[in-house]
């Protein structure tokens, strides 16, 4: 091994070093009345380097139809992820998305017979059921590996190498994603509190059986 | 002013005043009623209109919601270009009871919009509606939108796929049809207008009236349109106000008062007839009053002229009839007074006059014993020679004056003057037991008075006068003698004639007497008088002789 190659290796190691180190970015999300906001997707998009390539082969996730609801409500994935819609109900569902990020339609189906759908564009894919208006699910397709979904306590933790990032906070009740530029450092252990102004959820509420046909 | 005219004026003004007051009261209360009724309707109009618009919006929202839930429409919205979507909307609009249909993006941008009349819809008109719905977190976006110069009430509902991707909804024009609809519900006229510049959008008024209404001063709540009085109230509709438009309800006060006007016309007609009737009645009444009054006046003038014989016959039982009766009684009284004056002319004493006035008719005729005295003037013809008539009358009256005074002082009355002859009565009309004594005393007094007069005449250088007196006492008939028009109290009978004859006897030289009295007078004397018996004589026209005496 020549000294030049050794140097090259060393330099490569130096470059790879930040990738090995990780800073943890912790957010506490609350609405304007201070209540914790769950199901918000926090993603960090690097400004100074390209995001690392996605894993090969493409991973696969599932969004189940269970008791005439999509489970889970919010999913965050990297571009290239495939999604399946297994039906665990006895009744059939017809799953669709009219979102620009992914237009698809899964005809009426039962069981796990529906094919996987590849999410090859970043963006939010709003999934609905043509038969049940209240059924919905959101798949946030991201171009970055650094993201997290807030829990019921409103806390979201993202681990990413130190550096400058465009931080996006998405929630289906936000009029638009909340975008901020942040810089992560090694010793960043602080928790940032972010207040979100949520819109009214215009989604039709599910009516319980029996209450279904009660029109005054 | 004539009495008749006054009565007329009083009648007419009373009826006219009653009529005027009645019409005024009817007019006033009817106007108040009408205004109150209109204002009641006004008060309900805002609610009525609010409900109407809400119902229409609910219907539009129901249609839009069905459309929004339609998966095919969702796909059409997501998949097609603007032109194709517009075509789709045009076909959908045919099914809807609306004038326009629109698909609006969540940010308010117009994705596609179509009007029933095919006109283009400008960009950006719906963003205020969507912004307001977002702000209010409302289920639907609604409000007024100007499409060119036409105002539409739009209702937009969310298009969920499954989240809100757009708004879709229908617009109904604020126009004459809507005005007619509201008018039918409220019973009022309705005008929709743009505020600035003022322009009519729809109205149930005739176009000319609607234009006049739009041009009226803004705060005029009782405008006169086409000569008709209207009441106006603004309908409070926030959607309209936000779009710079207004809605007004109107009611014609005159139209509402029309039945009252008809009633008033009828009242006026009835009043006119009443007035005419009252006028006629007043004329008749005034005539019935003024005619007898004029007759009374004419009658009074006749009485004043001395015509007591005239009688007034009004043939009435009322006060005027009584007045006429009173007038007649007065005439009769005056006539009686006139008659009685004849008696009073004879210068009776007050008690005699009183009796005559009291028992005027009782003097009709009675037999009683009286003493009659005749006195004839001698030497007057000589005396009167060379005298002018006035001087002659003056001299005669001077003589008669003295004689009359002597008679009356002795208690007699002058019955009459017959030229220069005097006839005097004693014991009538008031009976006197000593009538003969009175007559003799009168003769003595007359003789003395004549002597006194002769002394005066001598002093005046005139020749003396002489007289001859005849006195008789007899039963005669006394009473008012004459025609109906002129009565004189007098006496008639042989005894009277005898007295006159005795007077003529004084001319006989052989008697040498200026006063001759009959035996009956002498026999009636109570007092003693110096008498000289002249024997018996048969006077002219008599067969039996009478004894006569000369007063010494
Ligand atoms: Cu379903």
């Amino acid at each position: 091994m020549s000294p030049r190659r050794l140097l090259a290796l060393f330099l490569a190691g130096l470059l790879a070093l930040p990738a090995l180190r990780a800073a943890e970015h912790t957010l506490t999300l609350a609405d304007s009345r201070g209540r914790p906001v769950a199901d918000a997707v926090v993603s960090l998009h690097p400004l100074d380097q390209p995001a690392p390539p996605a894993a090969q082969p493409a991973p696969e996730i599932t969004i189940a139809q269970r008791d005439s609801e999509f489970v889970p409500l919010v999913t965050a994935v990297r571009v290239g992820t495939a999604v399946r819609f297994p039906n665990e109900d006895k009744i059939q569902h017809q799953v669709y998305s009219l979102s620009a990020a992914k237009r698809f339609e899964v005809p009426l189906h039962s069981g796990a017979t529906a094919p996987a759908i590849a999410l090859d564009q970043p963006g939010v894919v709003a999934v609905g059921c043509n038969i049940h208006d209240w059924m919905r699910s959101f798949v946030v397709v991201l171009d970055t590996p650094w993201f997290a979904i807030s829990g019921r306590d409103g806390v979201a933790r993202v681990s990413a190498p130190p550096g400058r990032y465009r931080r996006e906070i998405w929630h289906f009740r936000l009029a638009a994603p909340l975008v901020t530029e942040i810089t992560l450092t090694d010793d960043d252990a602080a928790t940032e509190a972010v207040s979100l102004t949520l819109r009214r959820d215009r989604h039709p509420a599910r009516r319980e059986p029996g209450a279904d046909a009660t029109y005054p | 002013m004539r009495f008749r005219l006054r009565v007329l004026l009083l009648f007419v003004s009373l009826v006219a005043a009653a009529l005027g007051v009645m019409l005024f009261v009817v007019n006033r209360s009817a106007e108040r009623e009408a205004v109150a009724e209109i204002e009641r309707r006004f008060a309900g109009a805002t609610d009525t209109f609010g409900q109407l618009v809400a119902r229409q919006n609910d219907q539009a929202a129901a249609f839009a919601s069905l459309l929004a839930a339609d998966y095919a429409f969702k796909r059409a919205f997501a998949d097609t270009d603007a032109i194709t979507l517009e075509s789709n909307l045009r076909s959908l609009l045919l099914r809807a009871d609306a004038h326009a249909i629109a698909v609006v993006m969540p940010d308010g941008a117009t994705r596609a919009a179509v009007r029933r009349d095919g006109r283009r819809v400008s960009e950006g008109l719906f963003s205020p509606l969507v912004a307001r719905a977002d702000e209010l977190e409302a289920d639907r976006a609604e409000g007024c939108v100007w499409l060119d110069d036409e105002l539409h009430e739009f209702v937009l509902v969310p298009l969920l796929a499954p989240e809100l991707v757009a708004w879709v909804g229908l617009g109904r024009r604020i126009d004459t049809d809507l005005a007619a609809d509201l008018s039918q519900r409220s019973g009022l006229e309705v005008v929709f207008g743009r505020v600035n510049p003022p322009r009519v959008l729809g109205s149930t008024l005739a176009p000319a009236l609607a234009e006049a209404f739009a041009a009226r001063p803004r705060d005029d709540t009782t405008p006169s349109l086409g000569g008709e009085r209207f009441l106006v109230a603004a309908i409070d509709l926030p959607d309209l106000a936000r779009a710079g438009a207004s809605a007004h309800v109107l009611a014609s006060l005159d139209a509402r008062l029309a039945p009252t006007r008809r009633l008033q016309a009828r009242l006026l007609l009835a009043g006119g007839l009443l007035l005419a009737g009252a006028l006629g009645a007043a004329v008749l009444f005034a005539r019935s009053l003024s005619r007898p009054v004029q007759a009374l006046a004419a009658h009074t003038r006749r009485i004043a002229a001395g015509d007591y014989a005239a009688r007034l016959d009004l043939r009435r039982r009322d006060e005027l009839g009584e007045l006429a009766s009173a007038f007649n009684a007065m005439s009769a009284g005056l006539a009686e007074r006139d008659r009685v004056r004849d008696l009073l002319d004879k210068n009776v004493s007050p008690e005699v006059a009183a009796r005559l006035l009291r028992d005027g008719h009782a003097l009709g005729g009675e037999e009683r014993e009286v003493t009659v005295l005749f006195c004839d003037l001698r030497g007057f013809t000589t005396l009167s020679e060379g005298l002018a008539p006035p001087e002659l009358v003056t001299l005669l009256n001077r003589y008669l004056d003295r004689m009359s005074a002597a008679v009356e002082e002795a208690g007699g009355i002058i019955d009459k003057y017959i030229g220069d002859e005097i006839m005097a009565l004693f014991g009538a009309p008031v009976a006197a037991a000593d009538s003969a004594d009175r007559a003799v005393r009168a003769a003595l007094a007359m003789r003395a008075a004549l002597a006194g007069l002769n002394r005066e005449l001598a002093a005046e250088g005139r020749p003396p006068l002489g007289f001859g007196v005849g006195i008789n006492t007899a039963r005669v008939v006394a009473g008012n003698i004459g025609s109906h028009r002129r009565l004189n109290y007098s006496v008639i009978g042989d005894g009277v004639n005898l007295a006159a004859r005795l007077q003529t006897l004084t001319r006989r030289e052989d008697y040498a007497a200026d006063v001759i009295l009959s035996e009956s007078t002498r026999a009636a004397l109570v007092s003693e008088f110096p008498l000289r018996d002249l024997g018996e004589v048969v006077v002219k026209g008599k067969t039996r002789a009478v004894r006569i005496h000369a007063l010494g």
Side-chain angles (χ1 to χ4, degrees):
Chain A
M1 193 180 286
S2 68
R4 279 185 73 175
R5 286 189 68 184
L6 274 174
L7 181 65
L9 263 175
F10 176 71
L11 285 174
L14 270 180
L15 277 171
L17 205 58
L20 301 177
R21 290 182 298 142
E24 191 170 77
H25 182 54
T26 305
L27 281 177
T28 307
L29 302 175
D31 65 9
S32 53
R33 286 155 78 177
R35 291 173 303 192
V37 174
D39 294 325
V41 176
V42 178
S43 55
L44 300 180
H45 303 265
L47 292 174
D48 299 328
Q49 74 227 19
Q56 290 293 338
E60 202 173 273
I61 61 155
T62 60
I63 297 174
Q65 296 137 64
R66 188 182 302 150
D67 191 21
S68 293
E69 295 280 6
F70 286 115
V71 181
L73 174 62
V74 174
T75 316
V77 296
R78 273 207 86 171
V79 173
T81 305
V83 58
R84 280 188 182 276
F85 293 96
N87 184 0
E88 299 175 8
D89 289 338
K90 286 179 183 145
I91 58 168
Q92 295 186 326
H93 297 286
Q94 183 182 11
V95 181
Y96 73 90
S97 163
L98 298 176
S99 301
K102 188 65 186 179
R103 297 284 313 280
F104 66 86
E105 197 170 317
V106 182
L108 284 169
H109 62 279
S110 298
T113 56
I117 290 159
L119 304 172
D120 41 18
Q121 294 280 325
V124 178
V125 179
V127 180
C129 171
N130 187 16
I131 297 177
H132 307 100
D133 282 346
W134 66 85
M135 288 176 67
R136 60 173 171 178
S137 186
F138 299 96
V139 184
V140 182
V141 184
L142 298 162
D143 223 356
T144 170
W146 302 301
F147 53 81
I149 301 176
S150 65
R152 298 176 74 120
D153 55 359
V155 174
R157 280 191 191 83
V158 188
S159 290
R164 287 196 312 127
Y165 294 91
R166 179 173 47 108
R167 186 189 68 195
E168 288 187 11
I169 303 174
W170 174 94
H171 191 271
F172 57 89
R173 286 179 61 192
L174 277 176
L178 198 64
V179 180
T180 326
E181 190 182 316
I182 59 167
T183 306
L184 293 186
T185 52
D186 272 341
D187 51 354
D188 186 6
T191 297
E192 189 181 339
V194 175
S195 177
L196 300 178
T197 306
L198 300 183
R199 290 188 305 178
R200 178 194 164 186
D201 191 359
R202 291 188 183 279
H203 201 75
R206 179 180 183 178
R207 291 199 181 89
E208 293 306 316
D212 198 274
T214 54
Y215 213 81
Chain B
M1 209 189 304
R2 297 294 303 257
F3 174 69
R4 192 184 293 189
L5 189 60
R6 278 218 297 256
V7 170
L8 276 182
L9 278 177
L10 182 72
F11 263 69
V12 169
S13 56
L14 272 178
V15 172
L19 226 114
V21 166
M22 187 171 65
L23 286 178
F24 177 74
V25 167
V26 165
N27 195 43
R28 216 178 140 83
S29 58
E31 278 219 30
R32 276 193 189 160
E33 274 297 314
V35 169
E37 168 63 20
I38 289 172
E39 280 173 354
R40 253 199 306 285
R41 291 191 179 202
F42 281 175
T46 299
D47 282 351
T48 306
F49 200 24
Q51 286 162 10
L52 175 64
V53 170
R55 186 153 47 242
Q56 284 193 354
N57 284 359
D58 286 348
Q59 284 170 2
F63 186 92
S65 294
L66 278 176
L67 187 58
D70 181 43
Y71 184 64
F73 183 72
K74 287 180 193 179
R75 273 177 48 182
F77 162 76
D79 291 344
T80 59
D81 52 34
I83 299 171
T84 313
L85 185 58
E86 272 184 15
S87 177
N88 188 2
L89 290 181
R90 202 164 282 124
S91 116
L92 287 168
L93 185 56
L94 293 176
R95 283 194 253 147
D97 178 24
H99 298 103
I101 187 165
V103 175
V104 180
M105 300 310 285
D107 62 0
T110 307
R111 172 76 196 280
V114 167
R115 289 169 71 171
R116 175 155 279 193
D117 57 15
R119 285 200 269 173
R120 272 200 51 76
V121 176
S122 314
E123 181 60 37
L125 295 170
F126 299 95
S127 52
L129 269 58
V130 169
R132 241 173 66 77
D134 276 339
E135 190 185 318
L136 298 176
E137 299 190 340
D139 283 330
R140 61 200 202 192
E142 53 194 336
C144 286
V145 174
W146 289 100
L147 302 184
D148 298 334
D149 53 353
E150 291 179 339
L151 192 64
H152 291 68
E153 171 74 9
F154 259 92
V155 180
L156 303 169
V157 301
L159 183 63
L160 302 174
E163 287 306 289
L164 184 129
V165 292
W167 298 85
V168 58
L170 301 165
R172 263 194 73 118
R173 208 162 51 208
I174 308 276
D175 57 8
T176 297
D177 286 348
L178 184 63
D181 202 348
L182 177 62
S183 176
Q184 202 181 5
R185 282 159 207 263
S186 63
L188 296 164
E189 303 290 344
V190 179
V191 178
F192 298 117
R194 184 172 201 145
V195 174
N196 203 8
R199 197 166 61 74
V200 177
L201 296 174
S203 144
T204 54
L205 291 172
L209 292 189
E211 290 306 321
F213 175 74
R216 87 199 189 284
R218 194 71 52 83
D219 52 352
D220 187 359
T221 58
T222 55
S224 181
L225 308 176
E228 228 178 320
R229 285 182 303 158
F230 280 86
L231 295 188
V232 176
I235 296 285
D236 183 26
L237 286 173
D239 283 358
L240 281 179
R242 272 192 288 274
S246 64
H248 285 92
V249 282
L250 297 85
S252 166
L253 193 58
D254 288 330
R256 187 152 293 278
L257 284 174
T260 308
R261 295 279 178 256
R262 282 197 291 279
L263 175 68
Q264 281 176 324
R266 263 178 238 140
L267 280 177
L268 208 59
L269 180 67
L273 291 176
L274 208 66
L275 197 63
L279 206 64
V283 166
L284 289 178
F285 179 66
R287 188 176 292 172
S288 79
L289 269 182
S290 71
R291 274 210 174 154
V293 169
Q294 283 172 339
L296 280 169
H299 188 66
T300 308
R301 280 193 291 276
R302 286 180 71 177
I303 290 172
D307 181 4
Y308 306 142
R311 289 293 180 270
L312 195 57
D313 188 7
L314 291 183
R315 295 172 194 278
R316 294 173 71 110
R317 288 183 177 173
D318 55 10
E319 289 83 346
L320 286 169
E322 283 177 27
L323 187 58
S325 298
F327 260 73
N328 285 339
M330 185 184 78
S331 293
L334 287 172
E336 190 64 38
R337 283 265 301 271
D338 209 24
R339 276 204 303 273
V340 168
R341 189 174 297 145
D342 292 339
L343 303 174
L344 297 180
D345 281 349
K346 297 177 175 68
N347 297 318
V348 298
S349 60
E351 66 272 19
V352 171
R355 186 180 162 200
L356 286 176
L357 290 170
R358 194 173 67 242
D359 311 327
H361 290 286
L363 300 173
E366 58 184 338
E367 206 183 48
R368 61 166 58 195
E369 188 170 274
V370 301
T371 301
V372 183
L373 180 152
F374 276 89
C375 172
D376 190 32
L377 180 61
R378 307 280 158 72
F380 187 64
T381 314
T382 317
L383 180 66
S384 60
E385 276 172 8
L387 284 181
E391 287 174 298
L392 189 109
V393 170
T394 304
L395 185 60
L396 184 57
N397 285 352
R398 211 165 137 192
Y399 157 77
L400 291 175
D401 243 16
R402 306 289 168 94
M403 296 304 115
S404 299
V407 167
E408 283 162 8
E409 272 168 31
I413 64 165
I414 304 298
D415 182 279
K416 59 175 81 78
Y417 300 108
I418 309 153
D420 54 10
E421 194 181 23
I422 299 166
M423 176 181 167
L425 289 176
F426 299 87
V430 183
D434 59 345
S435 68
D437 292 69
R438 290 184 184 194
V440 172
R441 267 196 290 275
L444 290 171
M446 288 163 78
R447 190 186 279 160
L450 183 64
L453 179 62
N454 280 338
R455 277 194 297 279
E456 291 171 22
L457 291 173
E460 293 163 21
R462 297 179 198 254
L465 295 170
F467 66 29
V469 173
I471 302 171
N472 182 39
T473 301
R475 291 197 72 81
V476 297
V477 174
N480 288 309
I481 296 158
S483 70
H484 176 74
R485 294 294 303 273
R486 186 158 186 90
L487 289 168
N488 280 319
Y489 184 78
S490 192
V491 292
I492 48 172
D494 278 349
V496 181
N497 296 335
L498 182 60
R501 296 284 173 242
L502 293 180
Q503 179 269 125
T504 59
L505 289 179
T506 57
R507 292 185 183 161
R508 276 176 57 166
E509 301 289 335
D510 56 327
Y511 287 156
D514 60 347
V515 178
I516 292 176
L517 48 97
S518 68
E519 174 60 25
S520 60
T521 300
R522 189 208 60 78
L525 283 174
V526 180
S527 308
E528 287 286 329
F529 290 95
L531 298 175
R532 178 164 51 94
D533 190 353
L534 297 179
E536 290 192 330
V537 68
V538 179
V539 299
K540 205 167 152 186
K542 296 281 180 183
T543 50
R544 275 182 54 199
V546 288
R547 180 172 287 278
I548 59 174
H549 304 273
L551 183 63

